Amino acid sequence: MESMSYTTRSSSSSRKLLFRQLFEKESSTYTYLLADASHPDKPALLVDPVDRTVDRDLSIVNDLGLKLIYAINTHVHADHVTGSGLIKTKVPGVKSIISKASNASADILVEAGDKIQFGDLYLEVRATPGHTVGCVSYVTGDEPDQPQPRMAFTGDALLIRGCGRTDFQGGSSKQLYESVHSQARLYTLIFTLPKDTFIYPAHDYKGFTVSTVGEEMLYNPRLTQDEETFKSIMENLKLPYPKMIDAAVPANMVCGLQDLESKAA
Amino acid sequence: MESMSYTTRSSSSSRKLLFRQLFEKESSTYTYLLADASHPDKPALLVDPVDRTVDRDLSIVNDLGLKLIYAINTHVHADHVTGSGLIKTKVPGVKSIISKASNASADILVEAGDKIQFGDLYLEVRATPGHTVGCVSYVTGDEPDQPQPRMAFTGDALLIRGCGRTDFQGGSSKQLYESVHSQARLYTLIFTLPKDTFIYPAHDYKGFTVSTVGEEMLYNPRLTQDEETFKSIMENLKLPYPKMIDAAVPANMVCGLQDLESKAA
């Protein structure tokens, strides 16, 4: 069993990934801060920032002397308003990023195979649709000068011992299964990443902070099933209507800036 | 500014620290799982387990193939019931650990300078009283075969940009200040650890997961003050009476097993 460890985090590179995981309690959302700490500018990005924790996120960026360049979303969230737009109003020059397939607006629209560079480090974009039609995962590079083990920011596609629902926003249990399992399409699959790849999801509701590809391949109660069983599970979840979807989705289609007044203080 | 990074986590050792941070939402408590993943037995310990998340913690221990040997507390908590006793009933052979100065009962009572060995890794005990009279911090070793950067599990002595209250359980703002700042006593001080030492507290209420000694030396709004200002701040917090203290402290004096019926399901 591959598992999170300190000593395997060494790299032949002199590059330093600065990494922080941040939690928003109301929506149980994880926001991730990554920066190239070896680069003179310390360029940084935030993955899945939440509107109500923007000030916290910018305070740590400031304390650590980082230059925030990107605010990135894995998908159009239905349970919280993204902080991307608010960050752009507070830190001039930051560019918002989301997938082209999401049909949302942002400064940069990415597709599978694109690279998001920050200093000498980068994230590659993998299409992982199924929770929504435009879901992508962001994965650190596999060259020896990139962080080892690799890290996958999977949004709601793959959660720790779970996955996102597939009944709204162009969701499809068949697509989600393929996004996680398929070995056929480059830049799509999650389970073909090295087993020691860290899984950093957009949410966790039980207090787990990280998993690995190897762990989820063994213990994910939904995605270890065959495809038909998985589809049956997803079709019978009987989840309530997402309570924030009608407010959050329209706002998140425009980086969270549709209705500034509706934001929580 | 030293900061959390992947590439500085390399070690000259072949030892592998497996590390997981776990969160209990109601009391905003962090529980930490550490194991020597290179040792054939994969011996593991939990720092500050919570009664209501014991099943979660044991499930990840089991999934990762670890052998849990210790359930450790940084102090007698007033805001939640420790999971130590419950873990002992579920996993025979696990030993509970707390400081001798806490006057609580446990299988092993530790003092400043003691080492808690798990496989070829260990935690050293530092006396950090002030939040309670018996608070200790657990710090990874400084030899080259131990995890680098070092990691300090500070309980409620040092929180991220904060610290624990000092008005109950033998608390003392003077003692807490010395626990963090004093350079006079070996195995007491926190701020004399290397600046890149990771600070892993027992709680965070804003969604931060980790800090470093260097960061807190610069940005902790209380502990960057001089001692008199710090004492004045702590004496004027006007915090409400801790709502769980009357139930939690007596239970935690006996590893959380005083009244099994009172445990949350």
Side-chain angles (χ1 to χ4, degrees):
Chain A
M1 164 58 42
E2 297 295 327
S3 49
M4 189 171 183
S5 77
Y6 264 42
T7 53
T8 57
R9 287 189 164 196
S10 61
S11 163
S12 58
S13 157
S14 62
R15 304 259 63 97
K16 265 193 192 181
L17 174 67
L18 183 151
F19 174 65
R20 292 288 168 94
Q21 184 169 20
L22 301 150
F23 186 63
E24 198 284 311
K25 227 171 161 176
E26 192 161 324
S27 60
S28 293
T29 300
Y30 285 121
T31 297
Y32 299 96
L33 173 65
L34 291 86
D36 182 348
S38 303
H39 190 281
D41 291 344
K42 297 192 177 180
L45 56 83
L46 284 164
V47 176
D48 288 333
V50 177
D51 64 343
R52 64 176 63 241
T53 42
V54 160
D55 287 342
R56 175 200 65 186
D57 299 347
L58 296 181
S59 79
I60 187 78
V61 164
N62 187 55
D63 284 356
L64 295 171
L66 309 178
K67 183 185 177 187
L68 189 63
I69 57 171
Y70 296 128
I72 304 180
N73 278 288
T74 51
H75 63 291
V76 174
H77 302 280
D79 63 334
H80 67 272
V81 175
T82 176
S84 292
L86 200 55
I87 288 169
K88 280 169 57 68
T89 68
K90 290 177 180 249
V91 188
V94 172
K95 291 196 186 307
S96 57
I97 298 181
I98 200 164
S99 77
K100 192 173 178 182
S102 71
N103 286 316
S105 59
D107 296 318
I108 300 171
L109 299 174
V110 291
E111 295 181 277
D114 286 353
K115 288 183 181 183
I116 299 168
Q117 195 85 28
F118 54 109
D120 294 304
L121 302 174
Y122 70 90
L123 295 174
E124 72 179 31
V125 180
R126 292 187 173 222
T128 50
H131 168 61
T132 75
V133 69
C135 283
V136 294
S137 293
Y138 300 104
V139 185
T140 57
D142 62 354
E143 291 82 357
D145 66 345
Q146 300 296 310
Q148 299 298 331
R150 298 177 77 178
M151 305 160 78
F153 301 92
T154 54
D156 289 13
L158 180 62
L159 303 177
I160 298 171
R161 310 295 193 265
C163 65
R165 64 195 294 172
T166 55
D167 49 351
F168 284 97
Q169 299 178 269
S172 156
S173 56
K174 178 181 167 59
Q175 270 201 324
L176 181 54
Y177 197 84
E178 286 174 1
S179 291
V180 174
H181 280 278
S182 169
Q183 308 208 11
R185 288 176 292 159
L186 195 61
Y187 299 126
T188 307
L189 35 114
I190 293 175
F191 276 3
T192 54
L193 285 163
K195 283 186 184 173
D196 64 355
T197 304
F198 292 118
I199 300 293
Y200 287 107
H203 302 285
D204 195 85
Y205 304 96
K206 291 182 180 171
F208 292 112
T209 55
V210 68
S211 184
T212 63
V213 165
E215 249 182 84
E216 295 308 316
M217 286 176 77
L218 281 175
Y219 301 117
N220 190 295
R222 294 180 184 173
L223 285 155
T224 50
Q225 306 297 322
D226 63 54
E227 187 172 340
E228 290 312 307
T229 308
F230 177 73
K231 286 195 279 190
S232 170
I233 291 170
M234 296 310 289
E235 279 155 27
N236 291 286
L237 290 178
K238 298 188 173 63
L239 294 169
Y241 187 77
K243 61 183 176 187
M244 274 195 68
I245 193 169
D246 295 318
V249 168
N252 289 335
M253 291 297 281
V254 289
C255 284
L257 288 181
Q258 186 218 32
D259 180 6
L260 271 173
E261 278 78 61
S262 73
K263 275 180 212 319
Chain B
M1 166 57 42
E2 297 295 327
S3 48
M4 188 171 182
S5 77
Y6 264 41
T7 52
T8 56
R9 288 188 164 195
S10 61
S11 163
S12 58
S13 157
S14 62
R15 304 258 64 94
K16 267 193 193 180
L17 173 67
L18 184 151
F19 175 65
R20 290 289 168 93
Q21 184 169 19
L22 301 151
F23 186 63
E24 197 284 309
K25 227 170 161 176
E26 192 161 325
S27 60
S28 293
T29 299
Y30 285 122
T31 296
Y32 299 97
L33 172 66
L34 290 87
D36 182 349
S38 304
H39 191 280
D41 291 344
K42 297 193 178 181
L45 55 85
L46 284 164
V47 177
D48 287 333
V50 178
D51 64 344
R52 62 177 63 241
T53 42
V54 160
D55 287 341
R56 174 201 64 186
D57 300 347
L58 295 181
S59 80
I60 187 78
V61 165
N62 188 54
D63 284 357
L64 295 172
L66 310 178
K67 184 186 178 188
L68 190 64
I69 57 171
Y70 296 128
I72 303 179
N73 279 288
T74 51
H75 63 291
V76 174
H77 303 280
D79 62 335
H80 67 272
V81 174
T82 177
S84 292
L86 201 55
I87 288 169
K88 280 170 57 69
T89 67
K90 289 176 181 248
V91 188
V94 172
K95 292 198 185 305
S96 57
I97 298 181
I98 200 164
S99 77
K100 192 173 179 183
S102 71
N103 286 316
S105 59
D107 296 318
I108 300 171
L109 299 174
V110 290
E111 294 182 277
D114 286 352
K115 288 183 181 184
I116 299 168
Q117 196 85 28
F118 55 110
D120 294 303
L121 302 174
Y122 70 91
L123 296 174
E124 72 179 30
V125 180
R126 292 188 173 221
T128 49
H131 168 61
T132 75
V133 70
C135 283
V136 294
S137 294
Y138 300 104
V139 185
T140 57
D142 62 354
E143 291 82 358
D145 66 344
Q146 300 296 309
Q148 299 299 330
R150 298 177 77 177
M151 306 159 78
F153 301 93
T154 54
D156 289 13
L158 180 61
L159 304 176
I160 298 172
R161 311 293 194 267
C163 65
R165 64 195 294 172
T166 55
D167 49 351
F168 285 96
Q169 298 179 269
S172 156
S173 56
K174 180 180 166 61
Q175 271 200 323
L176 181 53
Y177 197 85
E178 285 173 4
S179 290
V180 174
H181 281 276
S182 169
Q183 308 208 10
R185 288 177 291 158
L186 195 62
Y187 300 125
T188 306
L189 35 113
I190 293 176
F191 277 3
T192 54
L193 285 163
K195 284 186 183 174
D196 64 355
T197 304
F198 292 119
I199 299 293
Y200 286 107
H203 302 285
D204 193 87
Y205 305 96
K206 292 182 180 172
F208 292 112
T209 55
V210 67
S211 184
T212 63
V213 166
E215 249 181 83
E216 295 308 316
M217 286 177 78
L218 280 175
Y219 300 118
N220 190 296
R222 294 179 184 173
L223 285 156
T224 50
Q225 307 296 323
D226 63 52
E227 187 172 341
E228 289 312 307
T229 309
F230 176 74
K231 286 196 279 191
S232 170
I233 291 170
M234 297 310 290
E235 279 154 25
N236 291 285
L237 289 178
K238 299 187 172 64
L239 294 170
Y241 186 77
K243 60 183 177 189
M244 274 195 68
I245 193 169
D246 295 320
V249 168
N252 289 334
M253 291 297 282
V254 288
C255 284
L257 288 181
Q258 186 220 31
D259 179 6
L260 270 173
E261 278 78 60
S262 72
K263 276 180 212 315

